[in-house]
Amino acid sequence: MGDDDQSIYAFREALGYRGMEAFIKQFDARPVVLGSNYRCRSEILAAADRVIRNNADRIAKVLRAEKGVGGTVTASRHADEYAEAVAAVEVLGPLMAKGDSCAILARTNRILDPLEAVCRSHGVKYYRASGASVLSRPEGALMCNLLEIVERVKETGLDSVLAHLGLHAEQLRALHTSMGAELQQKGKAELFELGLPEDVATNYREFMKRLAEWRGLCDRKFYSLTLSGVSEWMLKYTKKETAIRTIQATYDVLSRLSGTFADRLLFMRQDNNQPTPGALILTTMHSSKGLEWDHVWIARSEETIVPDAKSTEPEERRLFYVAMTRARESLMISGTAKNFASRFATEAQIESAAKLSVAA
């Protein structure tokens, strides 16, 4: 027993329709097609059916929504992924306040980063159900640590920041032996005498100069300029993609908050990423299989994202069908102006029911 339209694990050698077809032939089995759906309203199921019918290799079936009419299917386009995330949170927030269950689904885990950043900055209780939170990585903690040093909230922790720009433990020990606990700006000749190579000495001098500038800006409450400067400096010495994403996500959260850095960090460090009742679920399409919510928002439904070029179109269409049919009462499909709308959103014919709007 199985649903060939929900076979989304071909990369794990799942046979899906071909496996069912082979079983029927080998054992001369009589297929019994079940078309009743007890989860989705008819409007949602009809849109999903219009998508999945475009797959040629599938068992023909008539889908019936036993819950009947009363659902909604809408589509929207937004200027970028952050405008999209804000729209999703603002739409789903009131629904969660009423006690309805809500989820945002994405093709890949990294698409959830901006959504998590907006949940943090809006104080929305959420749970990232698939993949690790990008905000929990060490680069984010290091950036926060540097901001506290800039604001003089803390005096320790500078060694880890200097290690980020390439200073080794022996070099740090040499600096502390010469200057004590509080490191200061030094001339190149003095740094050479301590055994620092020219490139390391140059980087150290540049950082100490930047630190003094950031502190001056912070003292004058130019927090946006300070935050931008710290973020740019962190990225300058970051090469790994995951680390770059972490720094960008940390910046995105903090830039959307107000007040001193101490206030912003206190807010950001509130752990609202918990699997508690009433939390907004952030998860991938693959991880959503077998689950259901009252309201589902599918983010970044765009060409180059879904379908993913690494997979086949029929497999990606089944994945999109699975995502659509997680919704009980309402389904929202969104994308950004960066790419054309996904062909699956077009196949669903949602545009005829809901005019697409591009948020400024």
Side-chain angles (χ1 to χ4, degrees):
M1 181 176 178
D3 185 352
D4 60 309
D5 289 334
Q6 295 193 50
S7 178
I8 58 174
Y9 293 104
F11 63 93
R12 295 180 183 170
E13 308 302 325
L15 297 176
Y17 167 73
R18 291 300 179 190
M20 293 181 181
E21 185 181 52
F23 182 89
I24 292 170
K25 290 180 179 179
Q26 182 175 351
F27 296 99
D28 193 26
R30 180 173 68 87
V32 177
V33 181
L34 305 176
S36 293
N37 179 297
Y38 297 91
R39 176 188 303 120
C40 310
R41 292 289 184 182
S42 60
E43 294 86 353
I44 298 169
L45 189 62
D49 187 43
R50 289 192 290 270
V51 173
I52 202 62
R53 283 176 179 270
N54 289 278
N55 272 0
D57 291 341
R58 63 184 291 266
I59 297 173
K61 57 182 73 71
V62 177
L63 299 178
R64 298 181 301 276
E66 300 298 333
K67 291 178 70 172
V69 299
T72 60
V73 182
T74 58
S76 59
R77 300 290 299 282
H78 306 272
D80 57 37
E81 57 267 51
Y82 285 97
E84 178 188 38
V86 169
V89 168
E90 290 181 348
V91 168
L92 297 176
L95 297 173
M96 291 190 297
K98 294 195 305 180
D100 292 353
S101 58
C102 299
I104 301 178
L105 310 183
R107 175 60 182 83
T108 61
N109 185 57
R110 65 179 300 174
I111 293 174
L112 299 174
D113 290 349
L115 292 155
E116 180 179 14
V118 170
C119 284
R120 285 284 184 104
S121 62
H122 280 60
V124 173
K125 184 168 60 175
Y126 73 97
Y127 177 55
R128 191 155 178 170
S130 59
S133 169
V134 69
L135 293 170
S136 65
R137 296 185 58 83
E139 295 81 9
L142 182 63
M143 182 174 173
C144 294
N145 175 60
L146 177 51
L147 289 170
E148 289 177 312
I149 293 172
V150 168
E151 200 171 33
R152 298 183 178 86
V153 173
K154 62 185 296 187
E155 298 298 330
T156 60
L158 192 56
D159 282 10
S160 60
V161 175
L162 293 173
H164 179 71
L165 67 78
L167 270 76
H168 302 309
E170 298 81 4
Q171 296 164 345
L172 289 168
R173 278 196 293 271
L175 288 172
H176 283 295
T177 299
S178 172
M179 303 179 214
E182 188 174 348
L183 299 180
Q184 304 166 6
Q185 181 66 283
K186 288 287 184 181
K188 273 193 175 183
E190 295 176 276
L191 295 173
F192 291 161
E193 290 178 3
L194 295 175
L196 271 65
E198 183 174 359
D199 60 335
V200 174
T202 299
N203 291 341
Y204 174 82
R205 283 174 50 78
E206 181 205 19
F207 170 77
M208 296 305 292
K209 180 182 177 182
R210 298 283 297 270
L211 179 59
E213 292 172 350
W214 294 333
R215 281 178 166 170
L217 289 170
C218 194
D219 289 342
R220 287 177 285 165
K221 296 182 170 50
F222 293 148
Y223 297 116
S224 294
L225 288 174
T226 307
L227 181 60
S228 296
V230 169
S231 176
E232 289 172 7
W233 181 86
M234 290 283 298
L235 290 171
K236 180 180 178 180
Y237 296 97
T238 305
K239 295 181 180 179
K240 292 183 180 179
E241 183 181 356
T242 52
I244 292 172
R245 286 170 50 207
T246 300
I247 294 167
Q248 290 173 336
T250 304
Y251 169 83
D252 290 329
V253 174
L254 292 173
S255 65
R256 284 169 167 76
L257 299 174
S258 59
T260 66
F261 290 134
D263 291 338
R264 300 186 199 200
L265 293 171
L266 180 63
F267 184 89
M268 194 187 82
R269 285 166 176 164
Q270 292 177 351
D271 194 3
N272 56 339
N273 180 12
Q274 295 288 339
T276 55
L280 173 61
I281 304 300
L282 307 180
T283 192
T284 62
M285 295 180 181
H286 277 102
S287 296
S288 73
K289 185 177 179 181
L291 303 175
E292 58 185 79
W293 298 273
D294 295 323
H295 310 282
V296 169
W297 185 297
I298 303 177
R300 299 299 302 276
S301 301
E302 308 162 26
E303 289 293 308
T304 75
I305 293 179
V306 56
D308 189 306
K310 297 178 183 178
S311 181
T312 66
E313 183 173 317
E315 176 87 352
E316 292 291 293
R317 185 174 282 110
R318 288 192 294 270
L319 182 59
F320 202 80
Y321 170 81
V322 166
M324 294 177 74
T325 53
R326 300 309 93 198
R328 299 188 190 113
E329 302 295 331
S330 74
L331 172 66
M332 291 143 279
I333 298 177
S334 67
T336 73
K338 294 183 176 182
N339 302 296
F340 291 111
S342 169
R343 67 196 69 175
F344 304 145
T346 303
E347 291 170 358
Q349 300 175 26
I350 301 170
E351 292 89 345
S352 61
K355 183 180 179 181
L356 295 180
S357 62
V358 178

